[in-house]
Each structure stands twice: as C-alpha cells, then as structure tokens.
Amino acid sequence: MADTLTITDNRTGKSYEVPIENGAIPTTALLQCRASEDDVGVRGYDPSFTNTASCKSRITFLDGERGILRYRGYPIEQLADQSNYLECAYLIVKGELPDVESFARWERNVTLHTMVHENIKTFISGFRYDAHPMGILLGTVGALSTFYPDASDVENLESRRLQTRRLIGKLPTIAAYAYRHIRGYPYIYPDNDLSYTGNFLSMLFRMQERRYKPDPVIERALDTLFVLHADHEQNCSTNAVRAVGSSLVDPYSAIAAGIAALYGPRHGGANEAVVRTLQRIGSVGNVARSVAQFKSGEERLMGFGHRVYKNFDPRGTIIKKLAYEVFEVTGKNPLIDVALELERIALEDDYFVERKLYPNVDFYSGIIYQAMGFPMTMFPVLFAIGRTAGWLAQWAEMIRDPEQRIARPRQLYCGEDERDYIPLDDRSPAGDREDMVSDDI
Ligand code: SDX
C-alpha cells in the first residue's frame, strides 16, 4: 500500500494522488482541485489550528492520548527528577545533554548576563504601583530590543546564541524587578554565586540580610517547575513567537509576543485563574455546587482541559507530588484540599469525562507558588521564565528551517460583495438598516 491519499473531486470526477509524509499531507496539494479554469483551487480550513501542523520540529514530543512529554527524546519524568532547569535549557536549545565542560561554560555564559542595563530600573519604575507583573515583563522584554540593536541580525548564528544567553539570563532579573516594584521594595542585584533559581529567589526575597540563603527545598521545587514549563511544542505562545519571528524581527520582540500570548487566561494566565476559582469556592463543602456551574457553561473550570492531552497532563502528575514536598517547608496550602475534591468530583462526572477534561499543568502549580509566597499575579511570570528556553529554541529552529517563510495564513472571505460608495448625505439612517453590524465594534 502506498503512503498516499487519493482525493476525488466530485465536481469534476478528477482524482489526485497526495503524498502522506510524517502522517500529514501538504495542504497546498489541494490547490490542484479546481472546478473551473478560473478556480483558485481548494483551501484547507482549520480555525485555531486543531489539525494543522505549522512546522517540523525536533525539540519536544507530545502524545496526548498516552500523556507523554519528552524534550529532545528525554522523558519529562526523568528530567524533572534528575536534571535542572539550566541543563534542560541547554538540552532544549542545543539538542543534547551537555558534558561537564559544556555545562560549566553554559552556566558561566548565562550567569554573565543576569544583570540588566540600569535604565531598565527607571523603565520599570514608570509602571503603576499595582501594575500586573506580566504586563511589566511584556513591556520590558520588548524594550530590551532597543538596548541590543545587534539582535536584529537574526540570521547570524553567533548573534542568535548571544541573545539566547542574554534572555535566559535576564528573564529572572526582570521578573524579580517587576515583583520588587509592585511590592515597593528596592531592587536586588543578581548574586552570581547562587544557582540560577537560587539567584532568582535572592532577587525576589532578600531584604536586609547581607546574603540571601535560599531554602534548598523551595529552590529545588521552583527549579523543577521551570523544567516542567520549559517547552511544549506548538502551544499558543510558541506559535506567537514563531509567527512574529518569521518576519525576521529581533528575538526580544518575538519573545515579547510569546509573553503576551501566555498572559491570557486560556494559556499561562490559567494558573492565576485557578487559585482565584479555588479561593472563591472556599471550602471542600462548596465544591459540588461549583461543579454544577462549570457544567452549565457559565464559566470554565480553569486548570482543566487541554488541546493535546486527552487523558492526563504528565506535568500535572509531577506537580501534584511536588506540592507536598513544598508544604513540608511552607506548611500546607489549604486550597489543595479544595483542588483535590474538585478533581475527584470532575473526574467522576460525565460532562468532564466525555469532553476528556483533566487537570493540566496549571491546575496545581498556582497552589505551590502561593505556598512559596508569590502573589497570584506573579504565577504567569514564573511560567514565562521556564518557557523562555523553549521559545528561543523554537524561534531559532524556525529561522534555520529552509521550509519556513513569513507566516501569512489565508482566509475564507464571507463578507459583502462589491458595492458602490454612497455619499454621506445620501445614506439612510443606520437605525433603518437591520443589517448594520454594530456588534463587530
Ligand atoms: C496551557 O497548548 C499547550 O500546550 C498549553 C500549555 C503549555 O504548556 O503551553 O499546556 C499550557 O495553556 C494549559 C491550559 C491552561 N488553560 C486552562 O486551564 C483554561 C481552561 N481550559 C480551557 O479553556 C480549554 O480547555 C483549553 C483552552 C485549554 C483548550 O481549549 P480547546 O482545545 O479549544 O477546547 P474547547 O475550548 O474547544 O473545549 C472543548 C469542549 C467545549 O465544550 P462543548 O462546546 O463541546 O460543549 O470542552 C469544554 C468546552 O466548553 N471545555 C471546558 C473546559 N475546557 C474545555 N468546560 C469547562 N471547563 C474547562 N476548563
């Protein structure tokens, strides 16, 4: 049997052989299906890309049915248990686990870039005291493109490598500065004698002590959370980074686009929304009544559901275990009982089971972040720190891919046919015209 599809166009009776490669067909093959001489051919229609591959990638493998997640072939369970974020960032960006010398060089090179230009402090001080830190991160990372004009040379390998080290190094610093700004605390400079995540905790939480000593359990747990969030193939924010990056803009602007996409409640903003939901439910006794509201469609159960995972999100399984390790140090976050009851009831309810809605990476992560002392608005910022390595690897893979050009999808036009302009004085009052589409604005 040949690896092809035979498509018969019943409008003309013609048949076409289309090759199947990597389990996909090139949708441009549909252009040959023409009903007449002036027909442009058949177009694929797939709003929000539920069944469209936008690229070939070697970075992350997901199997939604079996709950499998691998970075460059390594299972997430092994990386979460045995690796660390900087090593995973190297793996995701470069494709292989580093040897001792390569890791030492990588760690040194990233650490060299944890400082930010002093003007960044002035820039961040311009935000309101109550600005959402994700908005501060979005604006500040975008602004970095004005500090590094050399970054626009995106087709230069050494420039891509330098910006990659700069962004992985600086994201925690900017995130910490955003936190310190909304708290009204002075900024803390990087302490490069600490680990990547230890330094982040120091920039966040150091007060009057001469040197901050991170709690090793908290440091390890947060580092593991960065590992779990490091990449996730073509999710919404990665798609944004690839699409914006395909115009050959600098990587700071492309990563800012990813931060903007991640900010939304359907994506990285869900971890903040989950804790707000759990707080509103308040207690285990209120859970059953709340589930009825989610089933009615009044609101979504945030932290549940996924475009790809249709059984379980392997990251959620790991995070749930991690929570109890953190609680050993911080004390138990009572919201975990509400979350566990919510999960128990939902997983027994046909509404969720039929729709294959299971806890995703965001369902339990916020409970841990809150126990660590982060305000809810910082939760998506923590997600962004981890995902920066993935965004950069995906961006570089797109730049290097000879099959990739500027991302410019087509549409199915359903609007008005050609019509002539009507001078203002000759137009009938809008109220007389039922077809005025005022709800479009
Ligand atoms: C992340 O893509 C990634 O990989 C993302 C991510 C990553 O690492 O990058 O994994 C991180 O973003 C995780 C998802 C975080 N978001 C949330 O938890 C928000 C709540 N979940 C949803 O809004 C939703 O499930 C999505 C956005 C995650 C997935 O949306 P889909 O695939 O477009 O599914 P859908 O909206 O078409 O829903 C299918 C059905 C609908 O019901 P019907 O119209 O068929 O009756 O399921 C229902 C939805 O109403 N549904 C939910 C629901 N999610 C979907 N009903 C109640 N609660 C929910 N959470």
Side-chain angles (χ1 to χ4, degrees), residues 48 50 62 228-229 231-238 262 265-268 270-271 274 294-295 299-310 313 315 351-352 355 357 360-362 383 387:
S48 68
T50 48
L62 300 187
L228 294 171
H229 288 81
D231 192 56
H232 214 240
E233 62 136 275
Q234 304 311 313
N235 56 86
C236 178
S237 54
T238 297
L262 191 69
R266 280 181 172 172
H267 193 10
N271 52 22
V274 168
F294 300 130
K295 287 168 63 178
E299 66 172 296
R300 293 233 161 153
L301 172 51
M302 304 311 273
F304 257 66
H306 200 277
R307 176 63 59 79
V308 176
Y309 292 125
K310 296 308 177 188
D313 183 333
R315 301 167 297 175
Y351 174 89
F352 295 91
R355 290 168 177 78
L357 302 175
N360 58 48
V361 68
D362 290 308
F383 193 142
R387 188 52 55 88

Side-chain angles (χ1 to χ4, degrees), residues 66-78:
R66 295 188 292 160
I68 293 175
L69 167 57
R70 300 183 195 130
Y71 297 156
R72 301 287 187 175
Y74 294 95
I76 191 65
E77 294 79 4
Q78 294 181 29

